[in-house]
Amino acid sequence: QVQLMESGGGSVQVGGSLRLSCAAAGYMVRRYTVGWFRQAPGKEREHLAFIDNDGTVNYAEAVKGRFTISKDSAKNEVYLQMTSLKVDDTAMYFCAAGLYVADRTLPSEFTYWGPGTQVTVTS
């Protein structure tokens, strides 16, 4: 059974940093595409970044240059390092995984999801 669990969320001031972790069980991160998404109240779930099984990464324009996705295959974890945080980054953050993901920016393409971790950025 595939399970994902996010951690590392919290409250931070504008300009601060957080590192989110996505721990995987039941599958190997090196085989799957893993993505990070977020969802703010009243808004659709939004693609942030993904990392393919070959290490290829991609970022949404809204976070490019501020967020970095990486993985540690030995620990079976994927990370999202977030810097220069803004109030607009406040949301619930989710990691997701899929084996055969055609459009890696679409939440519907990912099979497995974690419960999410809240990130709140205050001014």
Side-chain angles (χ1 to χ4, degrees):
Q1 184 178 0
V2 175
Q3 292 183 323
L4 302 175
M5 181 61 66
E6 304 91 342
S7 62
S11 184
V12 64
Q13 290 190 323
V14 168
S17 300
L18 282 174
R19 187 195 194 208
L20 305 184
S21 298
C22 174
Y27 80 98
M28 305 304 291
V29 293
R30 65 171 182 266
R31 295 183 58 218
Y32 281 64
T33 294
V34 178
W36 282 98
F37 295 81
R38 68 186 178 192
Q39 189 166 18
K43 294 187 176 182
E44 293 187 352
R45 195 160 293 191
E46 174 188 18
H47 153 72
L48 300 175
F50 66 76
I51 184 165
D52 277 336
N53 57 356
D54 64 358
T56 301
V57 300
N58 173 272
Y59 299 95
E61 286 299 320
V63 304
K64 194 173 292 185
R66 300 190 298 125
F67 291 10
T68 303
I69 189 171
S70 62
K71 65 181 175 181
D72 186 332
S73 297
K75 293 184 177 179
N76 220 28
E77 293 185 348
V78 176
Y79 310 101
L80 187 68
Q81 178 69 48
M82 306 187 296
T83 63
S84 303
L85 284 164
K86 307 174 183 179
V87 172
D88 286 349
D89 292 320
T90 296
M92 184 71 79
Y93 283 67
F94 302 88
C95 65
L99 252 185
Y100 306 108
V101 182
D103 187 335
R104 298 159 182 79
T105 67
L106 289 180
S108 59
E109 291 282 334
F110 288 81
T111 306
Y112 306 104
W113 289 83
T117 185
Q118 177 68 37
V119 171
T120 302
V121 185
T122 59
S123 58

